[in-house]
Amino acid sequence: MSASHHASTFVLPATDADGRKNLVGLSRDELEAEMLSVGLEKFRARQLWHWIYHRGSTDFAEMTTLAKPVREKLADLYVVARPTVVTDLTSTDGTRKWLLRMPDGQDVESVHIPETDRGTLCVSSQVGCTLTCRFCHTGTQRLVRNLDSSEILAQVMLARDMLGEWPAPPDGRMLSNIVMMGMGEPLFNYENVAKALKIVMDGDGISISKRRITLSTSGVVPMMERCGQELNVNLAVSLHAVTDELRNIIMPINRKYPLRELIDACRNYPGLSNARRITFEYVMLKGVNDTPADARALVKLLEGVPAKINLIPFNPWPGAPYERSTDRAIQVFGDIVNNAGYASPVRTPRGEDIMAACGQLKSASLRLTAAERAAIANVIAEKDAALAS
Ligand code: SAH
Ligand code: SF4
């Protein structure tokens, strides 16, 4: 089975109500071809690129380096579209969560996490997720479709709009880093993610370097090498368990790509060195994976892999079957890993009050009826069956 085969790719109508085509998300080559196809010169693509991705312009009338008749022609044929912002929530800690509505009515979340002189945008790759990691709320959502490249890119552009960073300052940007850690499994939607990230990395446009981009995967082993070769972004791997026995339960993808294959793929990730390590994410689940023995086994498992370990205190959501490990357990676990020579920062949960923390996206409130619990169990059972077939 091919890795991207799980979710249906739903191709959005690439035009607005007046039949005008959206230019956002076309590659440079596609934009050139587009210009030629309507009788405009090839270099118009370069000019447009600058306005769309460097200046953040959505209005052809503003694009004053283009002659007026050209602007008018473009406005007749094209749009530079943005998704609709349905909600814009700000946490007491400054984290912002945007719920964006795509043209087919599906909602997608992105989260901005500000720090003093920088900020990270957490981007979604799918509506929902075909996988059913037991600790993740996204895994309980029935509806799944891939986002297309323009929808992935639009999350970044919208964030820039909201942060007022067009054109972005060279230093001290509030949108300086990107993590593909929102809803969905990015390596199950590789083509669209890759196309969007190539545009994000383009130096004449949004210009966020590959060193500031991290893609997180649950362990889609067959896609990892290609991701490293083509995009060369930082890789984060959601590990969360050190035995196949436990990982099979909490992350069903492990039944397809077990730990040994996953760690081999990590070891072979292109561009890996001591200066460029893989981040292993490890969600701390009380009484499940948080003992000192687990920590020692983790160190053993990662032997020889340039790694850092990110300990993530579990973030609760309605109906979640787990609890967060105690601070003490996290501390002891972290010390063992640290003493073995691995950096092991504990990720401070951000935006919990607006349900923007890892694994909480699209969760509404913390109360749940018995019927809702049963419905969640049903979704998980259906999706697990699909994964096994
Ligand atoms: N599908 C990808 C990327 C999205 S999830 C992946 O699984 O890697 C981003 C991170 O949040 C993953 O490490 C995921 O395991 C973690 N996560 C999911 N639910 C969580 C929760 N409830 N509490 C803490 N971390 C969670
Ligand atoms: Fe999907 Fe990642 Fe959540 Fe697992 S942790 S269900 S792969 S989004």
Side-chain angles (χ1 to χ4, degrees), residues 180-250:
M180 296 300 305
M181 292 188 186
M183 294 164 62
E185 169 46 60
L187 296 188
F188 277 159
N189 186 18
Y190 178 76
E191 301 291 342
N192 286 311
V193 167
K195 194 171 173 193
L197 288 183
K198 282 177 189 166
I199 296 176
V200 165
M201 293 189 275
D202 189 296
D204 296 327
I206 297 171
S207 196
I208 296 179
S209 124
K210 63 184 184 186
R211 281 177 211 86
R212 292 177 176 274
I213 299 177
T214 301
L215 183 147
S216 176
T217 180
S218 57
V220 186
V221 167
M223 296 305 293
M224 286 166 58
E225 185 175 355
R226 188 167 162 212
C227 172
Q229 242 149 26
E230 284 183 6
L231 301 176
N232 207 235
V233 293
N234 303 312
L235 188 70
V237 171
S238 295
L239 191 63
H240 308 321
V242 291
T243 62
D244 283 323
E245 204 185 359
L246 178 61
R247 202 165 184 270
N248 282 345
I249 298 171
I250 66 173

Side-chain angles (χ1 to χ4, degrees), residues 129 131-133 135-136 138-139 182-185 218 251:
C129 184
L131 296 170
T132 53
C133 303
F135 46 81
C136 176
T138 306
M183 294 164 62
E185 169 46 60
S218 57
M251 299 187 72

Side-chain angles (χ1 to χ4, degrees), residues 58-76:
T58 55
D59 182 357
F60 294 104
E62 273 174 32
M63 304 185 182
T64 45
T65 54
L66 296 146
K68 197 149 182 259
V70 176
R71 281 184 254 155
E72 282 166 0
K73 176 164 182 166
L74 289 169
D76 280 344

Side-chain angles (χ1 to χ4, degrees), residues 317-336:
W317 41 270
Y322 301 113
E323 284 173 72
R324 179 180 293 181
S325 301
T326 61
D327 290 349
R328 175 82 191 131
I330 297 174
Q331 166 91 45
V332 170
F333 194 103
D335 285 348
I336 293 172

